[in-house]
Amino acid sequence: MDKLELVPDVIDTLPGEIVEVTYEGKYKVDGGKELTPTQVKNVPEVKFPADPQQWYTLLMTDPDAPSRADPTFREVQHWLVTNIPGSDVTAGDTIHEYIGSGPPQGSGLHRYIFLVYKQPGKLTFDEPRVTNRSRENRRNFSTRNFVAKYKLEGPVAANVYQAQFDDYVPILHQQLSG
């Protein structure tokens, strides 16, 4: 993950733990390995080391929109789940519903980063709710500002994959337009 410049583009330090992310039971996120938008179109299974008595936030972000060379929309929020009890992501509060990778044609590889933060307790988040059919409130997200606003600790775990345009991307963009 060091080589992918997550520090300083999104976070200040890399955590010591890994978020295990698996799509369709077979496509694993592995520290920058390339996956296709088709492979990552559905919500993944996520596991991370956690204290069952603590609350956590999981976010997935793309700092490379519209391209890594020109990240004008840095960052695009792809998934945001808060108030996760222990490591049970399915029991958390989904603020931004999951959307897979949708890099524009010709924009090259994009980094998709999963970050887990420890919360100081169960929190009330005032972020707008976003469905998986909307682009609203996804662009120009700042992980650093979000973490500071809610006084989150970490990241305690992270992982990243890269993806570039494939035939699924136009389908995702159409979904996000309606």
Side-chain angles (χ1 to χ4, degrees):
M1 288 191 282
D2 266 340
K3 295 175 186 167
L4 293 176
E5 299 176 328
L6 307 183
V7 175
D9 288 352
V10 178
I11 54 179
D12 296 322
T13 58
L14 289 174
E17 300 291 337
I18 298 293
V19 180
E20 295 179 26
V21 183
T22 307
Y23 290 90
E24 308 291 325
K26 57 186 170 185
Y27 305 114
K28 294 184 184 261
V29 172
D30 186 13
K33 175 181 151 188
E34 186 175 348
L35 295 171
T36 69
T38 301
Q39 291 170 327
V40 300
K41 66 183 178 182
N42 296 317
V43 177
E45 179 182 347
V46 176
K47 296 179 184 174
F48 56 90
D51 177 339
Q53 303 304 311
Q54 295 291 321
W55 300 94
Y56 295 88
T57 292
L58 166 69
L59 62 89
M60 176 188 172
T61 188
D62 170 6
D64 302 325
S67 70
R68 192 160 178 191
D70 180 28
T72 310
F73 301 128
R74 175 172 290 166
E75 302 159 36
V76 173
Q77 185 58 246
H78 281 257
W79 197 20
L80 178 58
V81 184
T82 63
N83 290 322
I84 300 168
S87 62
D88 187 358
V89 175
T90 61
D93 184 17
T94 300
I95 307 285
H96 293 171
E97 291 182 353
Y98 178 85
I99 57 169
S101 302
Q105 190 165 12
S107 67
L109 287 169
H110 287 231
R111 298 165 293 171
Y112 294 88
I113 306 162
F114 292 87
L115 296 163
V116 174
Y117 290 87
K118 189 189 301 185
Q119 299 177 190
K122 190 169 185 182
L123 299 173
T124 300
F125 290 84
D126 64 2
E127 308 302 308
R129 303 287 170 153
V130 182
T131 73
N132 63 4
R133 301 214 166 272
S134 177
R135 284 188 175 90
E136 294 298 316
N137 299 302
R138 290 187 184 271
R139 290 180 176 170
N140 301 114
F141 181 84
S142 169
T143 295
R144 283 185 179 91
N145 291 347
F146 181 83
V147 167
K149 179 178 179 179
Y150 293 104
K151 298 177 176 53
L152 305 179
E153 179 185 322
V156 297
N159 211 336
V160 59
Y161 71 88
Q162 297 184 88
Q164 58 188 319
F165 181 89
D166 79 357
D167 291 343
Y168 174 70
V169 173
I171 296 167
L172 175 62
H173 285 231
Q174 182 176 12
Q175 171 186 317
L176 292 172
S177 296

